[in-house]
Amino acid sequence: MRQKSFLGLSPAGFHRISYTEWGDPAASRVIICCHGLTRNGRDFDALAAELAKEARVICPDIVGRGSSAWLRDPAHYGYPQYCADMSGLIARLDVAELDWVGTSMGGLIGMTLAAQAGTPIRRLVINDVGPFVPKAALLRIADYVGLDNRFSSLTAIQTHLKKVLAPFGPLTEAQWQHIVAYGHRRREDGTFGLAYDPAIAVNVKTAVQDWDLWAIWDRINVPTLVLRGADSDLLLPQTAEEMTRRGPCAKLVTWPGMGHAPALMAQDQIDVVKEWLTAN
């Protein structure tokens, strides 16, 4: 495991993008794992460690999250910037093709890149998001994203995250501790905050409406796997089923006992992703 970074560019200037690299740097197969809205690349540690047995795995922290820098102008937090930064990451990796695993926001970034002419994405895994995102789910997310919470201890953060991230499904105590370890930041006054810029919420809160992205989905022409939590309010069952009939005609796997979004930390979830990515 290696920690690396590169410079992205927004209209307000350069910013540093951090990423974790796993596996043999000379491996012929490259996989990018991209996290959700308020999370970071270390969510994929368990998955990356398994995939790295056969591939070079890259887990970026999208700008404003994890170890990456915060943008000078919060207005630039959005998919055009995220896609531009990930295009820069792909250029830095100097590869002709790669596989993409994306959870929620990371899935939408992957969808957008896969839909472009000449895309380098070979196989696509979309975790609990799709080309229709209902307003009700975005309202739920907008209620907690951007709250600049202060916590007195890591235990208090864990209590908070267990509530907010409960839809991730049943996690072990060790897995929760991992989420907390990489999901917090230390403030100058000694208290703790969450490991993202609260200003990422600026554009989220102004875009609370039904998102119709079917035009993007229908342009995707690479093998695609869609993962879904059976209780998800963000990827509705009818949307998931339609994704198997339109665009790339994805394979769908649904897991019971979880909502938005499966954490991809459990071995059965890791096995599904690995087996599908290495099928050919």
Side-chain angles (χ1 to χ4, degrees):
M1 183 179 69
R2 301 167 294 278
Q3 298 297 327
K4 298 187 175 182
S5 66
F6 68 100
L7 290 178
L9 178 64
S10 82
F14 286 98
H15 51 270
R16 181 175 53 82
I17 302 293
S18 296
Y19 62 95
T20 306
E21 182 175 5
W22 300 73
D24 182 356
S28 59
R29 174 164 288 179
V30 175
I31 304 168
I32 291 181
C33 299
C34 191
H35 59 82
L37 179 66
T38 64
R39 301 302 306 151
N40 60 77
R42 300 306 299 268
D43 280 2
F44 294 107
D45 277 8
L47 176 63
E50 185 66 29
L51 296 177
K53 295 175 182 178
E54 301 178 23
R56 178 186 179 195
V57 185
I58 311 297
C59 303
D61 291 345
I62 296 298
V63 65
R65 288 84 167 173
S67 297
S68 290
W70 295 4
L71 290 177
R72 294 174 180 84
D73 184 349
H76 299 140
Y77 283 123
Y79 288 94
Q81 184 65 58
Y82 305 154
C83 289
D85 286 344
M86 291 302 96
S87 178
L89 173 60
I90 293 169
R92 181 180 179 85
L93 298 177
D94 192 24
V95 293
E97 64 177 17
L98 55 94
D99 297 335
W100 187 281
V101 179
T103 293
S104 194
M105 178 186 74
L108 293 178
I109 296 170
M111 280 173 47
T112 303
L113 296 176
Q116 305 307 311
T119 182
I121 294 179
R122 185 188 72 98
R123 293 175 79 84
L124 179 64
V125 179
I126 301 294
N127 184 22
D128 213 72
V129 73
F132 177 77
V133 181
K135 178 180 179 180
L138 294 175
L139 277 171
R140 174 182 61 80
I141 294 169
D143 281 343
Y144 71 84
V145 173
L147 296 177
D148 197 8
N149 294 315
R150 292 177 181 269
F151 302 92
S152 60
S153 66
L154 295 183
T155 300
I157 290 181
Q158 181 164 315
T159 298
H160 171 79
L161 290 178
K162 279 186 173 182
K163 178 181 179 180
V164 172
L165 303 181
F168 276 22
L171 300 180
T172 67
E173 192 65 19
Q175 288 167 339
W176 279 117
Q177 289 174 3
H178 181 87
I179 286 174
V180 171
Y182 295 102
H184 80 275
R185 56 188 167 90
R186 194 70 179 262
R187 296 172 175 273
E188 292 182 359
D189 63 2
T191 62
F192 298 91
L194 300 176
Y196 65 88
D197 180 358
I200 64 172
V202 170
N203 286 334
V204 173
K205 293 181 183 295
T206 61
V208 176
Q209 59 188 3
D210 290 339
W211 290 8
D212 186 337
L213 306 173
W214 284 108
I216 293 175
W217 182 256
D218 289 338
R219 292 201 302 270
I220 297 174
N221 190 32
V222 301
T224 302
L225 171 67
V226 173
L227 309 174
R228 179 176 180 271
D231 301 323
S232 176
D233 64 343
L234 194 136
L235 179 54
L236 301 177
Q238 58 268 34
T239 303
E241 289 296 335
E242 187 70 6
M243 293 168 76
T244 68
R245 297 187 290 268
R246 290 178 59 170
C249 297
K251 176 183 177 180
L252 173 63
V253 174
T254 299
W255 284 300
M258 60 197 73
H260 181 74
L264 305 186
M265 291 180 172
Q267 192 60 48
D268 62 330
Q269 297 172 26
I270 291 172
D271 289 344
V272 166
V273 175
K274 183 177 181 180
E275 290 171 10
W276 191 82
L277 287 177
T278 59
N280 53 48

